Amino acid sequence: MEYKKYTLKNGLRVVLVPIKEMTTATALICVGTGSRYEDKKENGLAHFLEHMFFKGTKKRPKSMNITKELDALGSHHNAYTGKDRTGYYTKVPATNILPALDVLNDLFLNATIKNTEIKKESGTIVQEINMYEDMPSRLVYDVFENLLYGKDHPLGRDIIGTKKNVMSFVRKDFMNYLERCYTAENTVICVTGNFPQTKVLKKIREDFKEMRIGEKPAHELFICEQEEPEIMIKHKKSDQTHFMVGVHTGGFTHKDRYVLSVLANILGGGMSSRLWEEVREKRGLAYSVQALVDFYPETGFFVAKAGVEHENLIETLQIILKEMKKIAKNGVKKEEFDKARSGFEGRLAFSLETSDTIAGSFAEQEAVRNEIIVPEESLKRIKKVTQKDIQRVAKEIFVNDKLNCAIIGPQKENEKKIKEVLHF
């Protein structure tokens, strides 16, 4: 997949990925910042700021001015905050990309961030926190990272922050964070799909020529010092117990990143994976069970996830740990390996069929990693993974001093029993 990258005088990077066959175009502005760039008192500020960008600019004073204009263009638009990236995007019919880009650039560069709007939006975010508290299948992901990285490290804190923090932020907090993190050098704009390249590039150059400059912000590195299996239980009345069990791994620059992705596909990447067969098909213990990997620059994790009846937690946990250990001990057969690797290739192809997913992939890679690995190169790296690699990496990561389990449900009374089975 061909693309063009431009770096403006102020350090802003522009990535254009033209695909004439598409009927849509997406513009995405990605900043290499997120909750890991906050201290404890700031926790939640990056996410809150993302909300405030849609509350009005000098040209478009109210939120409805922004949303009505984008809706009239047939736009699908939104924003998101991660731990190391924040993105704002609009996806429109190809003919509407220039006016949509005008709105996107305006809300990103010229948000007024009024105290009256901050006060109103704080209530909205508190309700968002409450909503996530009622979604244990999602919340368990946060609990797992709380456990994995610890709440004293930025990676271990929730992106959305605490209610106390959210209610305390004032305009000065947002402006200080903007000054520190929202710099031209730390920002990438990616436009994908069917669009007029010359006009789009000219528009971006004009709009962003006076964007604030400054060095990329620093963040605290994570160093794993775990010595034994760890467990964290969030007691909650619920219809199911949700849990994640997994291990520390290297980050996205680690040589075994693609091996880990194939291993996750073998263990729990689809309806013919080992966990699907053992947990769901053979025993009916869960409706959904999966394995996945996630990476930051210097660290990452490999994890299995499921929701089960409360009394079936320990049995399901034992099955998952047993399957992990079996791969480390016996490896995988060629047929299973080939299927998992091909499945990964297929999912990669599917994920790059639309302009918005392509924009997300290219912009986030450039913003967070300072490099872009095109799909063709990713496929080459996947094809280099071998059966021996799978067993070697499984032996390295499926060890007790990397093992962690996060649980949401009424399981406090079972903590001792859970600890007894939490080992390879």
Side-chain angles (χ1 to χ4, degrees):
M1 184 173 287
E2 295 184 358
Y3 70 94
K4 297 177 182 178
K5 176 184 169 183
Y6 304 87
T7 302
L8 307 192
K9 291 181 180 180
N10 58 10
L12 180 85
R13 287 159 287 168
V14 181
V15 179
L16 303 182
V17 191
I19 307 171
K20 292 183 179 181
E21 298 79 15
M22 287 189 170
T23 59
T24 65
T26 295
L28 188 152
I29 304 175
C30 188
V31 189
T33 189
S35 61
R36 79 172 304 179
Y37 292 86
E38 304 164 337
D39 59 33
K40 275 189 176 181
K41 290 183 179 179
E42 291 178 320
N43 183 216
L45 189 60
H47 170 261
F48 200 147
L49 178 60
E50 170 220 309
H51 280 232
M52 294 307 301
F53 273 23
F54 289 85
K55 295 303 172 182
T57 69
K58 292 180 181 179
K59 184 177 179 181
R60 300 171 174 91
K62 296 181 180 181
S63 176
M64 288 301 290
N65 298 133
I66 294 171
T67 55
K68 280 185 177 180
E69 191 169 345
L70 287 172
D71 286 346
L73 295 170
S75 168
H76 169 65
H77 48 275
N78 211 332
Y80 57 89
T81 303
K83 295 196 172 178
D84 56 7
R85 69 203 71 181
T86 306
Y88 306 82
Y89 68 90
T90 174
K91 178 182 179 181
V92 292
T95 53
N96 291 340
I97 187 60
L98 286 170
L101 187 61
D102 184 69
V103 180
L104 186 69
N105 293 355
D106 184 37
L107 68 86
F108 183 82
L109 291 168
N110 304 310
T112 50
I113 313 180
K114 296 178 180 179
N115 276 316
T116 53
E117 293 294 335
I118 293 170
K119 186 175 181 180
K120 284 193 293 183
E121 197 63 20
S122 65
T124 298
I125 294 175
V126 166
Q127 291 309 307
E128 187 179 1
I129 293 172
N130 291 339
M131 178 182 72
Y132 293 147
E133 282 289 328
D134 287 334
M135 299 168 63
S137 62
R138 180 195 181 280
L139 188 63
V140 70
Y141 202 98
D142 291 336
V143 178
F144 185 73
E145 289 201 311
N146 295 160
L147 171 62
L148 209 63
Y149 301 118
K151 289 193 174 184
D152 287 333
H153 192 281
L155 287 177
R157 295 194 282 264
D158 297 347
I159 294 168
I160 201 167
T162 65
K163 292 180 183 180
K164 180 180 178 181
N165 279 7
V166 167
M167 297 300 292
S168 71
F169 294 139
V170 295
R171 189 175 191 275
K172 183 180 178 181
D173 299 320
F174 294 99
M175 302 313 293
N176 287 341
Y177 187 85
L178 273 172
E179 193 69 26
R180 186 173 85 241
C181 298
Y182 275 64
T183 61
E185 190 177 348
N186 201 32
T187 303
V188 176
I189 304 176
C190 183
V191 184
T192 63
N194 190 353
F195 61 92
Q197 297 179 57
T198 302
K199 291 182 179 180
V200 163
L201 183 59
K202 181 181 178 182
K203 173 68 175 171
I204 294 170
R205 287 186 186 277
E206 289 176 351
D207 288 354
F208 284 83
K209 62 185 178 184
E210 295 183 5
M211 185 179 178
R212 70 184 65 81
I213 58 175
E215 296 181 358
K216 287 188 175 185
H219 61 260
E220 180 183 348
L221 292 175
F222 175 77
I223 300 173
C224 180
E225 298 178 341
Q226 186 175 346
E227 296 179 350
E228 61 183 8
E230 298 286 350
I231 184 173
M232 181 178 287
I233 300 175
K234 181 180 178 68
H235 180 76
K236 191 175 183 66
K237 290 183 178 180
S238 57
D239 293 329
Q240 285 183 308
T241 290
H242 291 266
F243 72 96
M244 294 176 70
V245 58
V247 294
H248 288 278
T249 70
F252 59 61
T253 59
H254 194 276
K255 64 182 178 66
D256 290 325
R257 176 190 165 198
Y258 290 92
V259 181
L260 287 163
S261 296
V262 177
L263 176 57
N265 211 22
I266 291 169
L267 192 68
M271 295 173 70
S272 62
S273 66
R274 291 192 178 200
L275 293 185
W276 188 276
E277 181 180 4
E278 293 296 328
V279 173
R280 174 169 164 155
E281 293 301 315
K282 286 186 178 180
R283 298 172 176 86
L285 293 172
Y287 173 74
S288 175
V289 58
Q290 63 181 130
L292 55 95
V293 289
D294 201 357
F295 303 107
Y296 298 105
E298 78 280 29
T299 186
F301 57 84
F302 182 108
V303 69
K305 177 179 183 290
V308 298
E309 293 285 349
H310 306 311
E311 63 269 22
N312 292 335
L313 170 64
I314 291 177
E315 180 185 0
T316 309
L317 184 58
Q318 287 178 307
I319 292 167
I320 291 173
L321 293 172
K322 180 180 178 182
E323 290 302 317
M324 289 177 173
K325 193 63 179 178
K326 279 169 64 177
I327 295 177
K329 183 179 180 180
N330 304 320
V332 294
K333 294 181 179 179
K334 186 177 186 304
E335 180 182 358
E336 183 181 25
F337 170 76
D338 289 342
K339 173 179 65 66
R341 194 169 61 173
S342 296
F344 185 92
E345 294 171 5
R347 275 194 287 278
L348 177 62
F350 296 151
S351 71
L352 297 171
E353 285 187 331
T354 60
S355 61
D356 51 333
T357 53
I358 295 169
S361 173
F362 277 66
E364 290 181 12
Q365 287 188 81
E366 181 63 35
V368 180
R369 307 174 193 174
N370 296 311
E371 68 167 347
I372 295 173
I373 301 173
V374 295
E376 294 84 354
E377 178 60 27
S378 291
L379 287 176
K380 286 181 182 178
R381 297 184 185 189
I382 285 292
K383 289 178 179 178
K384 289 181 179 179
V385 175
T386 67
Q387 287 173 259
K388 288 184 178 180
D389 288 331
I390 297 297
Q391 186 173 12
R392 172 181 59 80
V393 170
K395 285 181 178 179
E396 291 175 1
I397 67 170
F398 294 147
V399 291
N400 290 332
D401 60 4
K402 294 182 179 181
L403 182 58
N404 294 270
C405 183
I407 300 165
I408 296 181
Q411 296 288 347
K412 275 294 183 183
E413 293 181 359
N414 291 324
E415 185 169 358
K416 183 178 179 181
K417 292 180 181 178
I418 296 167
K419 285 183 176 180
E420 289 174 355
V421 302
L422 189 62
H423 61 81
F424 288 113

